Amino acid sequence: MIKMFQALMPKEERFFDLFNRHAQTLALGARALRELLDGGPGLEAACARVIQHENEADDVAREVLQAVRRTFITPFDRSDIKGLTASLDDAIDQMQKTAKTIALFEVKTFEPKMREMADLIIDAADRTVAGVALLSKMRENSASLNAFAEAIINLEEKGDTLHDEGLKALFLANQDQAMNFIIGREIYSHLEKVLDRFEDVANRVSGILIEHL
C-alpha cells in the first residue's frame, strides 16, 4: 500500500540531475589524475585540479543531503540516495588521496602500470557517468544498468592484476632502494582503492535496481 501511494505521488526529479553532476566530477577528476601520472611540468596543476573536482563533488553531495531532508517524496529510498551519494563521493575522495600522496612525497615520475591503472579509472568514471544517467528510468534501462555493473567489476579485476604486476616490477627494480618501493607501493594502493570505490558505486546501483524493480 505504501509503495502504491508513493508511486502515485509526484517525485522530486532534481535528484537525478544531482547524481549526474556528481558523476561528472568523477570523470573530470579521473582525467586530471591521469594527467598527473604523466609527470612533467603539468604535474602540480593536475594535482590541483584533482583536489578542485573533489571539492566540487563535496558541494554536490551536500546539495543531495539537503534535498533529502527537504523532500517529501524521493525517487527511491532515502537510504539508497545517501548510499549512492556516499559511494560516488568515496571514489573521488580516493583520487584526492592519491594526488595528496604524490604531492607529499614529491614524486615526479611514475611507473607504466600506474598509468594503465589510471586509464582504467577514466574508463570506470565514464561508464559511471553513463550508468548513473540511466537511473531516472530504471525499468526501461535495467539490462543496461546490469551491464554497467558487470563492466565496472571487470575493470576492477583488471586493476587488481595491474596492481600486482606493477608492485612486483617495482620491487624487483628497487631492491636496494626501499623508500622508492614504499612510496610506489602507496601510490599503487591508492589507485587500486579508486577502482574499488567505483565497484562500490556499481554494487550500490545494482542494489537499488534489485530493490525497486
Side-chain angles (χ1 to χ4, degrees):
M1 182 63 74
I2 293 175
K3 287 188 176 180
M4 186 181 299
F5 173 73
Q6 289 177 333
L8 294 173
M9 290 292 291
K11 296 179 179 63
E12 172 57 74
E13 301 299 331
R14 178 167 167 262
F15 284 103
F16 297 115
D17 291 334
L18 292 171
F19 296 151
N20 291 335
R21 280 174 53 199
H22 208 166
Q24 286 288 349
T25 65
L26 272 62
L28 293 170
R31 281 167 172 75
L33 180 63
R34 177 62 182 83
E35 185 176 337
L36 171 58
L37 292 173
D38 280 333
L43 187 151
E44 290 185 6
C47 184
R49 286 203 305 280
V50 173
I51 294 170
Q52 172 194 336
H53 295 313
E54 193 277 334
N55 290 335
E56 292 166 355
D58 283 345
D59 290 341
V60 178
R62 280 191 290 271
E63 284 190 58
V64 173
L65 296 179
Q66 289 171 359
V68 167
R69 289 195 293 269
R70 296 171 180 171
T71 304
F72 180 60
I73 298 294
T74 55
F76 40 85
D77 292 352
R78 295 167 194 274
S79 61
D80 287 328
I81 290 173
K82 292 178 181 178
L84 176 59
T85 299
S87 61
L88 289 167
D89 222 38
D90 287 345
I92 196 161
D93 283 349
Q94 195 61 56
M95 293 183 213
Q96 183 194 50
K97 289 176 182 178
T98 309
K100 285 188 171 181
T101 296
I102 290 167
L104 175 65
F105 292 111
E106 299 182 349
V107 183
K108 304 297 182 184
T109 59
F110 303 91
E111 301 297 319
K113 296 295 183 184
M114 293 178 182
R115 288 190 285 272
E116 288 184 50
M117 291 182 75
D119 289 336
L120 293 182
I121 289 168
I122 289 178
D123 195 356
D126 288 346
R127 289 176 185 274
T128 297
V129 170
V132 167
L134 300 174
L135 284 173
S136 60
K137 295 181 179 179
M138 277 188 284
R139 287 187 181 278
E140 296 92 325
N141 296 322
S142 60
S144 296
L145 284 165
N146 283 325
F148 152 71
E150 184 176 349
I152 294 295
I153 291 169
N154 289 337
L155 287 174
E156 192 277 334
E157 290 174 353
K158 289 179 182 178
D160 284 346
T161 300
L162 287 174
H163 169 272
D164 294 346
E165 291 173 352
L167 205 58
K168 182 176 181 179
L170 186 70
F171 173 73
L172 293 175
N174 291 278
Q175 293 187 54
D176 58 346
Q177 300 181 68
M179 186 55 65
N180 286 348
F181 174 73
I182 291 169
I183 294 171
R185 181 180 61 184
E186 187 76 5
I187 295 171
Y188 271 121
S189 177
H190 282 301
L191 291 169
E192 183 184 34
K193 287 175 183 176
V194 175
L195 288 164
D196 288 344
R197 299 294 81 77
F198 276 108
E199 185 178 22
D200 292 342
V201 173
N203 289 337
R204 177 64 64 173
V205 168
S206 294
I208 292 170
L209 191 63
I210 290 169
E211 186 173 346
H212 293 86
L213 292 186

